[in-house]
Amino acid sequence: MNFVLRTLVTALVLWLTSLILPNRVNIMDNGEAWGTLLAVLLIALIFNAIHSVIKPIVKTLTGCLYLLTLGLFSLVVNALMLWLTTWITGHDGWLSGTD
């Protein structure tokens, strides 16, 4: 249930971000409301799957870098998780942004 709730909240935040920053975050859809909803939910599902499976592995492997930088390395790991989501979904920019 926690994974479903996180996916729905991530989808909502992703959709709101695409409304606030339309030139930076462009959700690729078919122009219909259901297409947008499906695209946002799919990207949120992939994003949360990466954060649930891959991020703990990366955090375990780079634990000493977390200690050395007093936790600032988490910014690098989060950026890598966003990049991996973009790469898996097959879009060019940040979550299909127009770069």
Side-chain angles (χ1 to χ4, degrees):
M1 187 67 180
N2 190 19
F3 184 79
V4 173
L5 183 62
R6 276 191 316 181
T7 302
L8 291 175
V9 170
T10 302
L12 177 66
V13 169
L14 182 62
W15 177 68
L16 288 174
T17 304
S18 70
L19 292 177
I20 294 170
L21 303 169
N23 295 333
R24 190 72 180 132
V25 179
N26 183 16
I27 304 298
M28 303 295 282
D29 58 2
N30 61 1
E32 298 177 2
W34 288 107
T36 303
L37 178 67
L38 185 62
V40 168
L41 283 175
L42 183 64
I43 292 173
L45 180 69
I46 292 169
F47 181 76
N48 281 321
I50 287 172
H51 270 266
S52 296
V53 176
I54 297 174
K55 188 175 180 181
I57 296 169
V58 172
K59 283 179 74 171
T60 302
L61 294 175
T62 60
C64 53
L65 287 174
Y66 275 90
L67 290 173
L68 186 65
T69 63
L70 300 175
L72 288 176
F73 192 70
S74 64
L75 296 172
V76 174
V77 171
N78 285 332
L80 288 173
M81 297 302 116
L82 280 172
W83 175 80
L84 187 58
T85 302
T86 304
W87 182 72
I88 287 174
T89 57
H91 301 299
D92 291 334
W94 183 79
L95 292 178
S96 75
T98 54
D99 284 338

